[in-house]
Short mmCIF file of all heavy atoms in Angstrom, two decimals:
data_model
loop_
_atom_site.label_atom_id
_atom_site.label_comp_id
_atom_site.label_asym_id
_atom_site.label_seq_id
_atom_site.Cartn_x
_atom_site.Cartn_y
_atom_site.Cartn_z
N MET A 175 0.82 -1.18 -0.03
CA MET A 175 0.04 0.01 -0.02
C MET A 175 0.82 1.25 -0.01
O MET A 175 0.32 2.30 0.40
CB MET A 175 -0.82 -0.03 1.23
CG MET A 175 -2.02 0.79 1.14
SD MET A 175 -3.50 0.81 1.89
CE MET A 175 -4.29 -0.64 1.59
N ALA A 176 2.22 1.09 -0.28
CA ALA A 176 3.00 2.28 -0.20
C ALA A 176 2.80 3.06 -1.54
O ALA A 176 2.92 2.50 -2.63
CB ALA A 176 4.45 1.64 -0.12
N ASP A 177 2.58 4.29 -1.34
CA ASP A 177 2.60 5.17 -2.55
C ASP A 177 3.80 5.99 -2.50
O ASP A 177 4.00 6.97 -1.99
CB ASP A 177 1.27 6.08 -2.34
CG ASP A 177 1.16 6.90 -3.57
OD1 ASP A 177 1.79 6.65 -4.61
OD2 ASP A 177 0.32 7.79 -3.54
N GLU A 178 4.71 5.40 -3.22
CA GLU A 178 6.09 6.00 -3.28
C GLU A 178 6.30 6.81 -4.49
O GLU A 178 6.67 6.34 -5.50
CB GLU A 178 7.20 4.91 -3.28
CG GLU A 178 7.09 4.08 -1.90
CD GLU A 178 8.02 2.95 -1.91
OE1 GLU A 178 8.53 2.56 -3.06
OE2 GLU A 178 8.19 2.40 -0.78
N THR A 179 5.98 8.08 -4.47
CA THR A 179 6.14 8.96 -5.53
C THR A 179 7.17 9.92 -5.31
O THR A 179 7.12 10.74 -4.38
CB THR A 179 4.75 9.67 -5.80
OG1 THR A 179 3.78 8.68 -5.87
CG2 THR A 179 4.90 10.57 -7.03
N ASN A 180 8.14 9.90 -6.06
CA ASN A 180 9.35 10.87 -6.00
C ASN A 180 9.00 12.14 -6.72
O ASN A 180 7.95 12.20 -7.51
CB ASN A 180 10.61 10.27 -6.50
CG ASN A 180 11.22 9.33 -5.50
OD1 ASN A 180 10.85 9.35 -4.34
ND2 ASN A 180 12.29 8.61 -5.86
N GLU A 181 9.77 13.15 -6.47
CA GLU A 181 9.49 14.40 -7.07
C GLU A 181 9.64 14.31 -8.61
O GLU A 181 8.65 14.82 -9.26
CB GLU A 181 10.47 15.47 -6.51
CG GLU A 181 10.71 15.45 -4.97
CD GLU A 181 11.55 14.33 -4.65
OE1 GLU A 181 12.59 14.14 -5.25
OE2 GLU A 181 11.30 13.51 -3.68
N THR A 182 10.70 13.84 -9.14
CA THR A 182 10.89 13.92 -10.53
C THR A 182 10.98 12.54 -11.23
O THR A 182 10.66 12.43 -12.39
CB THR A 182 12.22 14.68 -10.83
OG1 THR A 182 13.25 14.15 -10.14
CG2 THR A 182 12.02 16.14 -10.39
N LYS A 183 11.52 11.49 -10.52
CA LYS A 183 11.82 10.32 -11.20
C LYS A 183 10.75 9.28 -11.19
O LYS A 183 10.98 8.08 -11.22
CB LYS A 183 13.11 9.82 -10.50
CG LYS A 183 14.32 10.55 -10.92
CD LYS A 183 15.56 9.76 -10.80
CE LYS A 183 16.76 10.32 -11.54
NZ LYS A 183 18.01 9.51 -11.34
N GLY A 184 9.47 9.65 -10.89
CA GLY A 184 8.43 8.71 -10.69
C GLY A 184 8.52 8.03 -9.43
O GLY A 184 8.14 8.66 -8.45
N HIS A 185 8.72 6.81 -9.38
CA HIS A 185 8.63 6.03 -8.18
C HIS A 185 9.69 4.91 -8.09
O HIS A 185 10.50 4.71 -9.08
CB HIS A 185 7.35 5.48 -7.98
CG HIS A 185 6.93 4.54 -9.11
ND1 HIS A 185 6.65 3.25 -8.88
CD2 HIS A 185 6.76 4.74 -10.37
CE1 HIS A 185 6.35 2.66 -9.98
NE2 HIS A 185 6.41 3.44 -11.01
N THR A 186 9.72 4.28 -7.00
CA THR A 186 10.70 3.06 -6.89
C THR A 186 9.90 1.81 -7.28
O THR A 186 8.73 1.76 -7.30
CB THR A 186 11.29 2.93 -5.62
OG1 THR A 186 10.16 2.92 -4.60
CG2 THR A 186 12.16 4.20 -5.22
N CYS A 187 10.67 0.79 -7.57
CA CYS A 187 10.18 -0.54 -7.91
C CYS A 187 9.14 -1.08 -6.96
O CYS A 187 9.23 -0.89 -5.78
CB CYS A 187 11.56 -1.55 -8.08
SG CYS A 187 10.99 -3.11 -8.71
N ALA A 188 8.25 -1.78 -7.51
CA ALA A 188 7.12 -2.23 -6.74
C ALA A 188 7.58 -3.52 -5.94
O ALA A 188 6.91 -3.95 -5.01
CB ALA A 188 5.99 -2.54 -7.66
N ASN A 189 8.78 -3.95 -6.33
CA ASN A 189 9.38 -5.15 -5.50
C ASN A 189 9.79 -4.50 -4.22
O ASN A 189 10.69 -3.65 -4.24
CB ASN A 189 10.42 -5.84 -6.18
CG ASN A 189 10.97 -7.13 -5.50
OD1 ASN A 189 10.20 -7.62 -4.71
ND2 ASN A 189 12.16 -7.37 -5.85
N ALA A 190 9.18 -4.98 -3.05
CA ALA A 190 9.39 -4.27 -1.80
C ALA A 190 10.93 -3.96 -1.45
O ALA A 190 11.13 -2.86 -1.07
CB ALA A 190 8.69 -4.97 -0.63
N PRO A 191 11.88 -4.84 -1.54
CA PRO A 191 13.17 -4.48 -1.05
C PRO A 191 13.91 -3.79 -2.17
O PRO A 191 15.06 -3.26 -1.89
CB PRO A 191 13.76 -5.96 -0.86
CG PRO A 191 13.09 -6.84 -1.82
CD PRO A 191 11.71 -6.26 -1.88
N CYS A 192 13.47 -3.60 -3.31
CA CYS A 192 14.09 -2.93 -4.35
C CYS A 192 14.09 -1.44 -4.26
O CYS A 192 12.98 -0.90 -4.02
CB CYS A 192 13.63 -3.41 -5.81
SG CYS A 192 14.51 -2.92 -7.07
N THR A 193 15.18 -0.83 -4.50
CA THR A 193 15.22 0.58 -4.40
C THR A 193 15.40 1.29 -5.83
O THR A 193 15.68 2.42 -5.67
CB THR A 193 16.40 1.09 -3.44
OG1 THR A 193 17.57 0.63 -3.97
CG2 THR A 193 16.10 0.50 -2.08
N CYS A 194 15.33 0.59 -6.69
CA CYS A 194 15.61 1.06 -8.11
C CYS A 194 14.52 2.13 -8.57
O CYS A 194 13.23 1.85 -8.26
CB CYS A 194 15.63 0.05 -9.15
SG CYS A 194 17.03 -1.09 -8.83
N PRO A 195 14.87 3.21 -9.09
CA PRO A 195 13.84 4.18 -9.67
C PRO A 195 13.28 3.58 -10.90
O PRO A 195 13.83 2.76 -11.67
CB PRO A 195 14.72 5.41 -10.03
CG PRO A 195 16.06 4.91 -10.17
CD PRO A 195 16.26 3.72 -9.24
N VAL A 196 12.00 3.75 -11.07
CA VAL A 196 11.21 3.24 -12.13
C VAL A 196 10.36 4.29 -12.82
O VAL A 196 9.82 5.11 -12.17
CB VAL A 196 10.25 2.01 -11.69
CG1 VAL A 196 9.47 1.41 -12.79
CG2 VAL A 196 11.03 0.96 -10.93
N GLU A 197 10.28 4.23 -14.11
CA GLU A 197 9.45 5.17 -14.85
C GLU A 197 7.97 4.97 -14.50
O GLU A 197 7.57 3.85 -14.13
CB GLU A 197 9.61 5.07 -16.29
CG GLU A 197 10.97 5.45 -16.74
CD GLU A 197 11.22 5.32 -18.24
OE1 GLU A 197 10.24 5.58 -18.96
OE2 GLU A 197 12.26 5.01 -18.74
N LYS A 198 7.20 6.05 -14.50
CA LYS A 198 5.85 5.97 -14.10
C LYS A 198 5.09 4.91 -14.84
O LYS A 198 4.14 4.32 -14.27
CB LYS A 198 5.18 7.33 -14.24
CG LYS A 198 5.65 8.34 -13.20
CD LYS A 198 4.72 9.40 -13.16
CE LYS A 198 5.07 10.34 -11.88
NZ LYS A 198 4.41 11.64 -12.04
N LYS A 199 5.35 4.64 -16.06
CA LYS A 199 4.62 3.67 -16.90
C LYS A 199 4.99 2.26 -16.48
O LYS A 199 4.26 1.35 -16.81
CB LYS A 199 4.86 3.87 -18.35
CG LYS A 199 6.33 3.75 -18.58
CD LYS A 199 6.72 3.89 -20.15
CE LYS A 199 8.22 3.69 -20.45
NZ LYS A 199 8.41 3.47 -21.85
N ASN A 200 6.01 2.03 -15.71
CA ASN A 200 6.37 0.69 -15.31
C ASN A 200 6.12 0.61 -13.91
O ASN A 200 6.11 1.48 -13.03
CB ASN A 200 7.82 0.47 -15.56
CG ASN A 200 8.09 0.57 -17.14
OD1 ASN A 200 7.39 0.13 -17.93
ND2 ASN A 200 9.29 1.07 -17.34
N GLU A 201 6.00 -0.73 -13.47
CA GLU A 201 5.68 -1.06 -12.10
C GLU A 201 7.02 -1.58 -11.44
O GLU A 201 7.14 -1.36 -10.29
CB GLU A 201 4.65 -2.08 -11.93
CG GLU A 201 4.07 -2.16 -10.61
CD GLU A 201 2.79 -3.15 -10.56
OE1 GLU A 201 2.34 -3.49 -11.63
OE2 GLU A 201 2.32 -3.41 -9.45
N PHE A 202 7.79 -2.31 -12.26
CA PHE A 202 9.04 -2.86 -11.73
C PHE A 202 10.12 -2.34 -12.56
O PHE A 202 10.02 -2.00 -13.68
CB PHE A 202 8.90 -4.41 -11.91
CG PHE A 202 7.75 -4.99 -11.06
CD1 PHE A 202 6.56 -5.27 -11.76
CD2 PHE A 202 7.89 -5.24 -9.74
CE1 PHE A 202 5.44 -5.85 -10.96
CE2 PHE A 202 6.99 -5.71 -8.94
CZ PHE A 202 5.76 -5.99 -9.56
N CYS A 203 11.41 -2.54 -11.96
CA CYS A 203 12.59 -2.12 -12.69
C CYS A 203 12.93 -2.98 -13.79
O CYS A 203 13.80 -2.64 -14.54
CB CYS A 203 13.75 -1.80 -11.70
SG CYS A 203 14.33 -3.40 -10.83
N GLY A 204 12.50 -4.34 -13.75
CA GLY A 204 12.91 -5.23 -14.60
C GLY A 204 12.28 -6.52 -14.48
O GLY A 204 11.37 -6.74 -13.56
N VAL A 205 12.51 -7.48 -15.42
CA VAL A 205 11.87 -8.70 -15.34
C VAL A 205 12.14 -9.50 -14.00
O VAL A 205 11.25 -10.26 -13.61
CB VAL A 205 12.09 -9.68 -16.50
CG1 VAL A 205 11.56 -9.04 -17.77
CG2 VAL A 205 13.64 -9.80 -16.68
N SER A 206 13.29 -9.33 -13.50
CA SER A 206 13.64 -10.04 -12.26
C SER A 206 12.61 -9.65 -11.13
O SER A 206 12.10 -10.53 -10.34
CB SER A 206 15.04 -9.67 -11.90
OG SER A 206 15.35 -10.37 -10.60
N CYS A 207 12.42 -8.36 -11.01
CA CYS A 207 11.45 -7.92 -9.91
C CYS A 207 10.01 -8.19 -10.29
O CYS A 207 9.16 -8.64 -9.52
CB CYS A 207 11.64 -6.50 -9.68
SG CYS A 207 13.15 -6.00 -8.76
N GLN A 208 9.80 -8.24 -11.61
CA GLN A 208 8.41 -8.45 -12.12
C GLN A 208 7.95 -9.92 -11.79
O GLN A 208 6.94 -10.24 -11.40
CB GLN A 208 8.33 -8.22 -13.57
CG GLN A 208 6.83 -8.25 -14.09
CD GLN A 208 6.85 -7.57 -15.46
OE1 GLN A 208 7.68 -7.59 -16.16
NE2 GLN A 208 5.60 -7.09 -15.75
N SER A 209 9.04 -10.78 -11.87
CA SER A 209 8.71 -12.22 -11.66
C SER A 209 8.47 -12.54 -10.17
O SER A 209 7.99 -13.49 -9.76
CB SER A 209 9.80 -13.06 -12.17
OG SER A 209 10.96 -12.89 -11.42
N THR A 210 8.87 -11.70 -9.25
CA THR A 210 8.80 -11.77 -7.88
C THR A 210 7.55 -10.90 -7.42
O THR A 210 7.25 -10.89 -6.14
CB THR A 210 9.92 -11.33 -6.97
OG1 THR A 210 10.14 -9.97 -7.18
CG2 THR A 210 11.17 -12.02 -7.59
N GLY A 211 6.86 -10.37 -8.26
CA GLY A 211 5.73 -9.46 -7.82
C GLY A 211 4.61 -10.05 -7.08
O GLY A 211 3.88 -9.43 -6.29
N GLN A 212 4.52 -11.51 -7.06
CA GLN A 212 3.38 -12.14 -6.39
C GLN A 212 3.80 -12.44 -4.91
O GLN A 212 3.01 -12.72 -4.07
CB GLN A 212 3.03 -13.29 -7.11
CG GLN A 212 2.89 -13.22 -8.57
CD GLN A 212 1.45 -13.27 -8.97
OE1 GLN A 212 0.67 -13.74 -8.30
NE2 GLN A 212 1.23 -12.65 -10.18
N THR A 213 5.10 -12.38 -4.71
CA THR A 213 5.58 -12.70 -3.37
C THR A 213 6.53 -11.75 -2.72
O THR A 213 6.97 -10.91 -3.44
CB THR A 213 6.48 -14.09 -3.47
OG1 THR A 213 7.53 -13.95 -4.35
CG2 THR A 213 5.50 -15.32 -4.06
N THR A 214 6.56 -11.69 -1.50
CA THR A 214 7.33 -10.73 -0.80
C THR A 214 8.84 -11.22 -0.69
O THR A 214 8.91 -12.28 0.01
CB THR A 214 6.80 -10.33 0.61
OG1 THR A 214 5.55 -9.85 0.33
CG2 THR A 214 7.73 -9.22 1.19
N GLN A 215 9.70 -10.61 -1.23
CA GLN A 215 11.12 -11.19 -1.12
C GLN A 215 11.83 -10.40 -0.19
O GLN A 215 11.52 -9.31 0.23
CB GLN A 215 11.81 -10.84 -2.36
CG GLN A 215 11.13 -11.55 -3.61
CD GLN A 215 11.48 -12.94 -3.86
OE1 GLN A 215 12.77 -13.23 -4.05
NE2 GLN A 215 10.71 -13.94 -3.94
N ILE A 216 12.82 -10.95 0.50
CA ILE A 216 13.68 -10.34 1.46
C ILE A 216 14.77 -9.56 0.81
O ILE A 216 15.23 -8.41 1.25
CB ILE A 216 14.30 -11.33 2.48
CG1 ILE A 216 13.08 -12.03 3.23
CG2 ILE A 216 15.21 -10.65 3.44
CD1 ILE A 216 13.64 -13.20 4.07
N ASP A 217 15.41 -10.14 -0.26
CA ASP A 217 16.33 -9.30 -1.03
C ASP A 217 16.02 -9.29 -2.52
O ASP A 217 15.06 -9.90 -2.94
CB ASP A 217 17.74 -9.95 -0.82
CG ASP A 217 17.84 -11.33 -1.51
OD1 ASP A 217 16.76 -11.95 -1.70
OD2 ASP A 217 18.96 -11.80 -1.79
N CYS A 218 16.66 -8.47 -3.19
CA CYS A 218 16.42 -8.21 -4.60
C CYS A 218 17.40 -8.88 -5.53
O CYS A 218 18.64 -8.70 -5.25
CB CYS A 218 16.25 -6.70 -4.74
SG CYS A 218 15.79 -6.29 -6.54
N ASP A 219 17.06 -9.36 -6.52
CA ASP A 219 17.98 -10.02 -7.48
C ASP A 219 17.96 -9.30 -8.84
O ASP A 219 18.45 -9.84 -9.89
CB ASP A 219 17.46 -11.60 -7.81
CG ASP A 219 17.91 -12.41 -6.60
OD1 ASP A 219 18.97 -12.08 -5.95
OD2 ASP A 219 17.31 -13.38 -6.32
N CYS A 220 17.57 -8.04 -8.91
CA CYS A 220 17.58 -7.42 -10.09
C CYS A 220 18.84 -7.13 -10.76
O CYS A 220 19.03 -7.09 -11.90
CB CYS A 220 16.81 -6.14 -9.93
SG CYS A 220 17.69 -4.79 -9.06
N GLY A 221 19.93 -7.03 -9.82
CA GLY A 221 21.30 -6.89 -10.38
C GLY A 221 21.69 -5.48 -10.68
O GLY A 221 22.75 -5.19 -11.09
N HIS A 222 20.74 -4.48 -10.49
CA HIS A 222 21.08 -3.11 -10.73
C HIS A 222 22.09 -2.66 -9.82
O HIS A 222 21.94 -2.84 -8.55
CB HIS A 222 19.87 -2.26 -10.87
CG HIS A 222 18.96 -2.64 -11.96
ND1 HIS A 222 17.64 -2.96 -11.87
CD2 HIS A 222 19.29 -2.69 -13.33
CE1 HIS A 222 17.07 -3.15 -12.96
NE2 HIS A 222 18.11 -3.05 -13.92
N PRO A 223 23.16 -2.04 -10.24
CA PRO A 223 24.23 -1.57 -9.34
C PRO A 223 23.74 -0.60 -8.25
O PRO A 223 24.41 -0.56 -7.26
CB PRO A 223 25.31 -0.85 -10.19
CG PRO A 223 24.56 -0.54 -11.53
CD PRO A 223 23.45 -1.62 -11.60
N ASP A 224 22.65 0.12 -8.46
CA ASP A 224 22.33 1.12 -7.48
C ASP A 224 21.32 0.62 -6.56
O ASP A 224 20.87 1.16 -5.60
CB ASP A 224 21.61 2.33 -8.29
CG ASP A 224 22.55 3.20 -9.11
OD1 ASP A 224 23.83 3.14 -8.60
OD2 ASP A 224 22.23 3.86 -9.95
N CYS A 225 20.88 -0.71 -6.82
CA CYS A 225 19.84 -1.23 -5.86
C CYS A 225 20.38 -1.47 -4.53
O CYS A 225 21.55 -2.09 -4.39
CB CYS A 225 19.35 -2.54 -6.54
SG CYS A 225 18.04 -3.34 -5.56
N LYS A 226 19.76 -1.14 -3.52
CA LYS A 226 20.15 -1.42 -2.19
C LYS A 226 19.54 -2.60 -1.59
O LYS A 226 19.65 -2.85 -0.32
CB LYS A 226 19.88 -0.12 -1.45
CG LYS A 226 20.63 1.01 -1.94
CD LYS A 226 21.01 2.05 -0.81
CE LYS A 226 22.05 3.20 -1.29
NZ LYS A 226 21.93 3.38 -2.68
N GLY A 227 18.59 -3.30 -2.38
CA GLY A 227 18.03 -4.45 -1.84
C GLY A 227 18.72 -5.75 -2.04
O GLY A 227 18.14 -6.78 -1.69
N ASP A 228 19.85 -5.60 -2.66
CA ASP A 228 20.54 -6.87 -2.99
C ASP A 228 21.67 -7.26 -1.90
O ASP A 228 22.59 -6.45 -1.70
CB ASP A 228 21.31 -6.69 -4.36
CG ASP A 228 21.99 -7.92 -4.75
OD1 ASP A 228 21.60 -9.02 -4.27
OD2 ASP A 228 22.84 -7.89 -5.68
N PHE A 229 21.51 -8.30 -1.20
CA PHE A 229 22.47 -8.62 -0.15
C PHE A 229 23.33 -9.67 -0.50
O PHE A 229 23.06 -10.59 -1.18
CB PHE A 229 21.71 -9.10 1.02
CG PHE A 229 20.85 -8.05 1.74
CD1 PHE A 229 19.40 -8.14 1.55
CD2 PHE A 229 21.30 -6.97 2.35
CE1 PHE A 229 18.60 -7.04 2.03
CE2 PHE A 229 20.62 -6.01 2.84
CZ PHE A 229 19.19 -6.06 2.81
ZN1 ZN B 598 16.48 -4.20 -7.18
ZN1 ZN B 599 13.34 -3.64 -8.92
#
């Protein structure tokens, strides 16, 4: 239920642990996060260097 709207860059990835910025037209930063959309993950496997959810 988080409405994460940033000032200029849209929002962050809908995958909970993922911190990647996502364009408004997209819900996830990539297919990795999109495939986890149905479940809550502890860490993120998107592989983006800026992501802080990857442990
Ligand atoms: Zn991520
Ligand atoms: Zn993501």
Side-chain angles (χ1 to χ4, degrees):
M175 202 158 302
D177 185 13
E178 297 176 345
T179 306
N180 280 349
E181 313 80 45
T182 53
K183 285 199 167 183
H185 61 115
T186 54
C187 183
N189 187 25
C192 186
T193 61
C194 297
V196 182
E197 292 180 37
K198 284 191 174 174
K199 61 178 179 170
N200 295 325
E201 193 173 355
F202 300 95
C203 70
V205 290
S206 175
C207 285
Q208 191 164 25
S209 67
T210 67
Q212 314 253 341
T213 58
T214 301
Q215 303 270 307
I216 296 173
D217 66 338
C218 179
D219 280 331
C220 74
H222 293 130
D224 288 341
C225 185
K226 301 213 170 22
D228 184 17
F229 295 105

